[in-house]
């Protein structure tokens, strides 16, 4: 009788538990199951009888008001036993009473068991977990916020429980207004500027010419994929008071799935699970193990039996797979609007940046390939390589102690030709081009980002005040001060404590860099030891190419050390970052990102820096070699120069690194998911593998990396460094990067769509700290390329010889004819009798001329042994050194001036976008004013119509 007298409140009714108890639990039931007639005259005894006839596993939805007053049960009052089709007997009985439930919704695993409430978020926990009390309070407060909840046990493991959450319209509207979610309210009206007749004629001529050209094959076909056509509307922050301004065709689809999940996640992050001001948020429950996982659902399967061109896409996930993640569309543009709608702005910006970077690599790869082909074409006309190949009478000194033999200079003919392919007249131009290219890439990316931010409504978006990390709160909970923004007390870290932690962290970074240097030192020792070993090898192939064998094996060993140290660096960076105790998650992420990039950049490039700038520079000369620990003679460059070693280092590291990364990105999730499916088949049988609900399928996928997009960005940033820093020594680096990125885009897309759980849709305005790192790499690339051209390559010595010492000296010419005699001028003479005892070779060189050799040649600018100062530097050495220093200064200043000039000339915001933003702001104000005026006029008419006798209105 108490329930009967309570009647109906706000369209909801109280009903009894199916077991027959009166006060056990309260439920929310749709009013369509009630008998016809006035709602105030409903007999609740009839409702009770109807409910008692339903199945015991009836779907349970909670009323938000009653959930506050009733105790929460974490166990079986909400729990449904898992079934293969996600249907229930109670749904069929609801249909019998009069409720229409879509069969498709009941079977696709994306809705509650009633087939109407869409699942917005999934929480997963184990019944055996001891954190039951926290979970009970948390779920009680979830219902108090208005979210609807339903539980389901796993089909594979009954200990695993899935909590399905649904946000009703009222909750979505309330929190969308708090979060300032921008929603469409009026279609855009594009302003077409007045065009002059001359420009119109040019446009007509261009259009007529384009008719003869094939259609753009890289664009997606919007006719066969009509879902790509987005509603081009103005947006404004959602407001329930002005809800009549917004375009709402269907309340169930007004907020898309990504926005609904983001709102639910926002709610969960602000719900308490224990008494206390800091006992709040889903992240803390995930950290302490109360919940095992939390994720939004994918929108069904990514495959379909029918073709997308004939039957259309089944869902957005299927559409993304067909037009983005499939290998058949590798040459097409990315559907960034679809990516943003499904995964959110943060992931969308990553793929937008990756696509922009890949597109900008096309001109760099083309120019680099042109430089390489220029070297191929001019190879037969290169005077230096000709002289090296014809120098059969020039005998070079041994490159190592004792075991290395004398060798003819002509034996390095092949290496001289290969060196010319990378070190030719176009190399300097390409280095300047790449320095300018890096600046243009970053400047135009800022413009592209501004356009994307405008199209995705990110211009006026500001990040919310971040929550404090739980670790920071636990550490500094005793010291508090007022937050200047929120005005609330919060934990405070003293300045002295912060400085001491930063000093310890910096010391750790310095120590790890020393570990990298020690690893490089070990590689150097390996090179100087094995070059003698390979020189005494039994196989003639290795013995005759001891230096190449040494370089190749050293690079492979270096790559293995790099991969092993990367694992160590991640743990050390994690330890140091946690030691610093950053206040917020973004501060933690930025600190960790900077450390990981610094570690991996030094680890990846330290050996390359050694080969480029130190190999063969400090070896001394025959008879007075510099030695490591007074024992090992430092390694010398090949008679054709050190550039061939640098090319081998960059080529092998770049190819192996990219191949390994691509394998790990796709191979690891594939193997993990395959192993999970295999265990399921063994437990449940192969005939039931396709009948799991969507939440079970997604739970068996791999979660996204703990650091978000960090690994993806880091891989591309390191590749950007390889592409720009030593590009003067390896012009094919942009081409290799381009080929890798074309594959990388589809690999990442395939991974996000098929192998990972759906990540939470997050918002972001840019790529964060990575942009500053890119700018730093661009500056470093100018310096390193200047040093590579001046020191590593032979560009400057050839230039000095051509203008000062060659046949064309004083004539202002520097052609190939001016290089006659360059090889002989670049080699010095050494008297063999002056060798040290430990350096004297076993062979006397009689195999060349039949008599023991008296002299041999080596690469350097030194006086002959019979001069006044034996083996002293010649005047040509000082001219070359001065020219190298002058080139470095001029090159750096010139390129930096060009970079700054380009940065100044290219505005960050395109002019047409600036005009569109101003016009949109004007039109929005006009539309809001007109809409408000129209509403006021309607209200005035209604008041006049209904209350003329009661109101005297002003005209």
């Amino acid at each position: 009788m108490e329930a009967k007298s309570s009647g109906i409140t706000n369209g909801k009714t109280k009903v009894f538990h199916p077991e027959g108890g009166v006060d056990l639990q309260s439920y929310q039931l749709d009013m369509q199951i009630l008998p016809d007639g006035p709602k105030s005259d409903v007999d609740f005894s009839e409702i009770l009888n109807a409910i008692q006839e339903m199945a015991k596993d009836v779907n349970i939805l909670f009323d938000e008001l009653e959930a506050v007053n009733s105790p929460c049960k974490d166990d079986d009052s909400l729990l449904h036993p898992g079934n293969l089709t996600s249907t229930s007997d109670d749904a069929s009985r609801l249909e019998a009473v009069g409720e229409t439930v879509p069969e498709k919704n009941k079977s696709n695993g994306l809705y509650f068991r009633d087939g109407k409430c869409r699942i917005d978020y999934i929480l997963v926990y184990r019944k055996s977990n001891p954190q039951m009390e926290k979970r009970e309070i948390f779920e009680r407060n979830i219902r108090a916020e208005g979210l609807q909840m339903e539980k389901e046990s796993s089909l594979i493991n009954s200990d695993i429980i899935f909590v399905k959450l649904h946000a009703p319209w009222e909750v979505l509207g309330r929190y969308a207004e708090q979060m300032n979610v921008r929603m469409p309210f009026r279609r855009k009206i594009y302003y077409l500027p007045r065009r002059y007749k001359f420009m119109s004629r040019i446009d007509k001529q261009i259009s007529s010419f384009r008719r003869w050209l094939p259609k753009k094959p890289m664009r997606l076909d919007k006719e066969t994929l009509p879902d790509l056509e987005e509603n081009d509307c103005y947006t404004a922050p959602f407001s329930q008071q002005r809800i009549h301004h917004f375009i709402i065709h269907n309340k169930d689809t007004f907020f898309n799935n990504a926005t609904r999940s983001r709102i639910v996640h926002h709610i969960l992050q602000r719900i308490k699970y224990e008494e206390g001001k800091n006992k709040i948020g889903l992240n803390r429950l995930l950290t302490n193990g109360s919940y095992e996982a939390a994720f939004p659902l994918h929108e069904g399967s990514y495959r379909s039996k029918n073709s997308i061109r004939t039957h259309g896409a089944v869902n957005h996930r299927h559409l993304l797979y067909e037009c983005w993640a499939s290998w058949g569309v590798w040459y097409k543009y990315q559907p960034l609007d679809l990516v943003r709608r499904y995964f959110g702005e943060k992931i969308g910006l990553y793929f937008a940046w990756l696509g922009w970077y890949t597109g900008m690599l096309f001109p760099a790869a083309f120019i680099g390939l042109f430089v390489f082909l220029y070297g191929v074409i001019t190879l037969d006309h290169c005077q230096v390589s000709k002289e090296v190949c014809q120098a059969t009478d020039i005998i070079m000194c041994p490159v190592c102690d004792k075991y290395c033999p004398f060798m003819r200079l002509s034996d390095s003919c092949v290496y001289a030709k290969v060196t010319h392919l990378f070190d030719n007249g176009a190399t300097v131009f390409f280095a300047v081009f790449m320095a300018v290219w890096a600046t243009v890439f970053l400047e135009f990316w800022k413009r592209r980002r501004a356009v994307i931010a405008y199209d995705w409504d990110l211009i006026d978006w500001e990040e919310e005040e971040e929550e404090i990390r739980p670790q920071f709160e636990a550490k500094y909970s005793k010291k508090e001060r007022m937050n200047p923004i929120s005005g609330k007390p919060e934990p405070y870290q003293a300045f002295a404590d912060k400085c001491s932690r930063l000093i310890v962290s910096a010391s750790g970074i310095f120590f790890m860099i020393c570990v990298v240097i020690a690893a490089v030192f070990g590689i150097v020792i390996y090179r100087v030891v094995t070059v003698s070993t390979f020189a005494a090898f039994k196989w003639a192939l290795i013995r005759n190419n001891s230096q190449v064998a040494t370089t190749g094996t050293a690079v492979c060993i270096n790559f293995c050390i790099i991969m092993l140290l990367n694992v160590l660096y991640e743990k050390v960076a994690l330890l140091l970052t946690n030691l610093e105790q950053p206040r917020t998650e973004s501060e933690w992420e930025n600190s960790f990102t900077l450390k990981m990039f610094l570690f991996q950049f030094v680890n990846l490039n330290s050996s390359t820096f050694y080969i480029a700038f130190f190999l063969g520079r400090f070896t001394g000369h025959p008879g007075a070699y510099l030695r490591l620990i007074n024992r090992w003679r430092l390694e010398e460059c090949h008679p054709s120069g050190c550039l061939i070693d640098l090319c081998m280092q960059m080529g092998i590291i770049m190819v192996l690194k990219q191949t390994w990364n691509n394998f790990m990105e796709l191979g690891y999730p594939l193997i993990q998911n395959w192993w999970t499916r295999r265990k399921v088949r063994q437990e449940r049988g192969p005939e039931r593998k396709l009948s799991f609900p969507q939440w079970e399928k997604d739970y068996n996928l791999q979660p996204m990396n703990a650091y978000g997009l960090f690994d993806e960005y880091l891989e591309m940033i390191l590749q950007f460094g390889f592409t720009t820093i030593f590009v003067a020594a390896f012009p094919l680096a942009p081409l290799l990067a381009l080929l890798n990125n074309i594959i990388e885009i589809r690999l990442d897309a395939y991974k996000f769509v098929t192998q990972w759980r759906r990540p939470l849709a997050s918002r972001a305005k840019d790529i964060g700290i990575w942009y500053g790192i890119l700018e730093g790499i661009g500056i470093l690339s100018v310096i390193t390329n200047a040093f590579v051209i001046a020191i590593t390559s032979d560009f400057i010595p050839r230039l000095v010889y051509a203008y000062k010492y060659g046949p064309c000296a004083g004539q202002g010419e520097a052609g190939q004819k001016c290089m006659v005699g360059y090889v002989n001028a670049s080699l010095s003479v050494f008297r063999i009798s002056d060798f040290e005892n430990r350096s004297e070779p076993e062979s006397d060189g009689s195999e060349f001329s039949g008599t023991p050799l008296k002299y041999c040649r080596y690469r350097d600018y030194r006086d002959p042994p019979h001069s006044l100062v034996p083996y002293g530097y010649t005047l040509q050495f000082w001219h070359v050194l001065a020219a190298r220093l002058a080139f470095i200064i001029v090159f750096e200043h010139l390129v930096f001036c060009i970079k700054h000039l380009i940065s100044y000339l290219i505005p960050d915001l395109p002019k047409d976008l600036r005009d569109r933003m101003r016009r949109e702001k004007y039109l929005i104000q006009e539309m809001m004013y007109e809409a408000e005026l129209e509403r006021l006029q309607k209200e005035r008419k209604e008041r006049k119509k209904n209350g003329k006798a009661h109101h005297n209105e002003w005209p």
Side-chain angles (χ1 to χ4, degrees), residues 171 210 217 264 274 281 295 384 405 456 537 650 775 803 846 876 882 884 902 943:
V171 177
R210 283 178 177 174
V264 172
E274 233 177 38
F295 53 89
V384 176
W456 292 357
F537 216 72
M650 290 192 61
E775 286 188 323
Y803 283 101
S846 58
Q876 188 175 356
R884 282 173 168 167
I902 291 174
R943 287 198 301 267

Side-chain angles (χ1 to χ4, degrees), residues 58 143 225 283 299 517 580 846 938:
V58 66
R143 293 193 297 275
L225 301 175
N283 284 348
E299 299 181 8
I517 297 175
E580 291 178 7
S846 58
K938 287 182 179 180

Side-chain angles (χ1 to χ4, degrees), residues 833-867:
S833 60
D834 293 340
F835 265 123
E836 298 173 305
N837 292 332
R838 53 181 173 178
S839 299
E840 188 174 358
E842 294 182 346
S843 173
D844 58 359
S846 58
E847 64 271 16
F848 295 103
S849 59
T851 59
L853 291 175
K854 294 182 179 181
Y855 299 96
C856 63
R857 309 292 294 274
Y858 61 99
R859 282 175 57 93
D860 208 344
Y861 296 100
R862 291 183 180 271
D863 292 322
H866 49 75
S867 61

